[in-house]
């Protein structure tokens, strides 16, 4: 059977081979998105790197549709957050009670809304500029390096005894401050997780609580960004490419599901510096490739 399958692949038509290769590209980008979306290494930056330097999906999707694909497959990652954190998400809207949670100290929907407003407003204002001028390997290199420095500073000056060790201890002011710092992630390569976790740690949150808040804020922000992109560019999406989108979505969901659970266990132990070192090394390697 294996031999038959191998022979069948060898004798695929040129069109069939092209289709299979395109689906493989979608799966690869989904894997990259899923593994990097919630780690502080910049999923957008990694997708730009992998796509622009290797896969080049814009050659067959078109530039606008390729950029939309990078945003749409984030929906797979969003679904993974919903699956992992469904209890907390339902508690935010009053549909689930978490044991030990009191009325006076309860993380609620207002925390999330306050947290997403700064980046949401600024993102809407700068959306066209970001799409047209900042989606490049050069800007990603800058974002990777500066974001890494910010993460190192956060770990260096982190509170020895964090003031906030649970989402239920988070104040509205701290939610707004973390949300304002999240605006840094609008620069490709800086990383949403990297900026918010670092900002949260500097404000007195422990690493796990900062990560939890980051993931919860990501749901409305990423869903909104994906929805707006679909509304703006849906006419440019060819129905023949739907399998490409579906393959990327499913791939991103599966690998995001795995990476979220792993990262939440890891972040409390190793903090941010190891991720920062990876980002610096990657930025240097990319700079050598691009500018040498």
């Amino acid at each position: 059977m294996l031999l038959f399958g191998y022979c069948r692949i060898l004798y695929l038509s040129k069109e069939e081979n092209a289709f299979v290769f395109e689906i493989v590209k979608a799966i690869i980008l989904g894997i990259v998105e899923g593994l990097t979306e919630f780690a502080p290494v910049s999923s957008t930056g990694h997708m730009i790197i992998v796509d622009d330097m290797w896969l080049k999906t814009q050659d067959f999707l078109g530039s606008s549709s390729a950029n939309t694909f990078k945003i749409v497959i984030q929906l797979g990652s969003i679904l993974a957050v919903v699956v992992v954190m469904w209890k907390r998400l339902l508690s935010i809207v009053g549909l689930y009670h978490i044991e030990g949670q009191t009325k006076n100290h309860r993380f609620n929907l207002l925390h999330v809304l306050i947290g997403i407003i700064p980046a949401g407003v600024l993102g809407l204002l700068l959306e066209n500029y970001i799409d047209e001028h900042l989606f490049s390997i050069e800007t990603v290199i800058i974002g990777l390096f500066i974001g890494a420095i910010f993460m190192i500073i956060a770990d260096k000056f982190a509170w020895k005894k964090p003031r906030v060790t649970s989402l239920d201890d988070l104040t509205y002011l701290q939610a707004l401050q973390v949300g304002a710092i999240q605006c840094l992630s609008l620069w490709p390569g800086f990383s949403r997780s990297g900026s918010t976790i670092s900002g949260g740690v500097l404000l007195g949150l422990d690493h796990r609580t900062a990560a939890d808040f980051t993931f919860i804020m990501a749901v409305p922000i990423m869903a909104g960004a994906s929805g707006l992109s679909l509304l703006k560019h849906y006419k440019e999406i060819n129905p023949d490419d739907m399998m490409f989108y579906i393959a990327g979505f499913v791939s991103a969901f599966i690998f995001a599901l795995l990476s979220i659970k792993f990262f939440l266990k890891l972040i409390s132990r190793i903090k941010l510096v190891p991720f920062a070192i990876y980002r610096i090394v990657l930025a240097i390697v990319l700079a050598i490739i691009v500018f040498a």
Side-chain angles (χ1 to χ4, degrees):
M1 289 296 293
L2 289 175
L3 180 61
F4 174 78
Y6 177 70
C7 292
R8 176 72 182 93
I9 292 174
L10 288 178
Y11 289 98
L12 288 174
S13 68
K14 184 181 293 186
E15 291 77 14
E16 289 173 324
N17 272 316
F19 175 75
V20 170
F21 193 46
E22 288 172 7
I23 295 300
V24 170
K25 287 182 177 182
I27 293 172
I28 291 172
L29 284 174
I31 292 172
V32 173
E33 157 65 22
L35 292 178
T36 61
E37 180 61 52
F38 301 104
V41 295
S42 177
S43 62
T44 301
H46 277 73
M47 283 199 290
I48 290 173
I49 292 167
V50 172
D51 199 14
D52 288 5
M53 296 185 68
W54 180 29
L55 301 181
K56 301 184 184 302
T57 57
Q58 65 178 2
D59 289 350
F60 61 90
L61 287 178
S63 180
S64 295
S65 185
N67 285 336
T68 301
F69 170 79
K70 292 184 180 74
I71 295 173
V72 169
I73 62 171
Q74 291 179 341
L75 289 169
S77 297
I78 296 171
L79 182 58
V81 175
V82 173
V83 170
V84 173
M85 308 188 76
W86 68 270
K87 290 181 181 180
R88 174 60 76 172
L89 292 170
L90 288 180
S91 76
I92 292 173
V93 294
L95 297 178
Y96 188 89
H97 177 72
I98 296 177
E99 188 176 351
Q101 202 174 52
T102 66
K103 290 184 177 180
N104 294 329
H105 296 85
R106 186 170 69 86
F107 182 73
N108 57 59
L109 186 60
L110 187 55
H111 287 92
V112 180
L113 294 176
I114 290 173
I116 67 175
I117 284 174
V121 172
L122 194 60
L124 286 174
L125 294 174
L126 299 178
E127 179 188 10
N128 290 334
Y129 180 84
I130 292 171
D131 286 346
E132 294 172 9
H133 301 287
L134 296 185
F135 275 85
S136 68
I137 294 175
E138 291 80 5
T139 56
V140 167
I141 292 172
I142 295 170
L144 285 170
F145 187 81
I146 296 178
I149 300 302
F150 184 46
M151 290 161 61
I152 292 172
I153 291 172
D155 266 4
K156 176 70 174 177
F157 295 100
W159 292 59
K160 292 183 179 180
K161 292 184 178 180
R163 295 179 296 170
V164 180
T165 57
S166 166
L167 284 175
D168 294 313
D169 297 325
L170 189 70
T171 68
Y172 293 128
L173 177 59
Q174 289 167 332
L176 178 62
Q177 290 170 326
V178 173
I181 294 171
Q182 186 176 214
C183 292
L184 295 171
S185 66
L186 293 173
W187 185 281
F190 207 99
S191 169
R192 181 184 298 106
S193 295
S195 61
T196 52
I197 295 175
S198 299
V201 167
L202 288 172
L203 291 168
L205 283 67
D206 66 16
H207 288 73
R208 174 58 190 264
T209 303
D212 285 341
F213 188 43
T214 295
F215 293 177
I216 290 172
M217 283 196 299
V219 174
I221 287 178
M222 292 166 62
S226 298
L228 287 174
S229 182
L230 279 174
L231 287 174
K232 184 178 179 180
H233 300 294
Y234 76 95
K235 292 182 179 179
E236 301 166 11
I237 299 176
N238 190 328
D240 294 337
D241 295 328
M242 287 308 298
M243 282 303 298
F244 184 87
Y245 280 79
I246 292 171
F249 175 90
V250 173
S251 177
F253 168 72
I254 293 171
F255 283 89
L257 196 63
L258 297 173
S259 67
I260 290 171
K261 294 181 178 180
F262 177 73
F263 178 73
L264 288 176
K265 294 178 180 178
L266 189 66
I267 189 63
S268 297
R269 295 209 315 262
I270 70 171
K271 315 300 184 192
L272 292 167
V273 169
F275 294 104
I277 293 172
Y278 164 77
R279 291 167 62 114
I280 291 172
V281 171
L282 179 60
I284 292 172
V285 171
L286 288 173
I288 293 172
I289 294 173
V290 173
F291 299 113

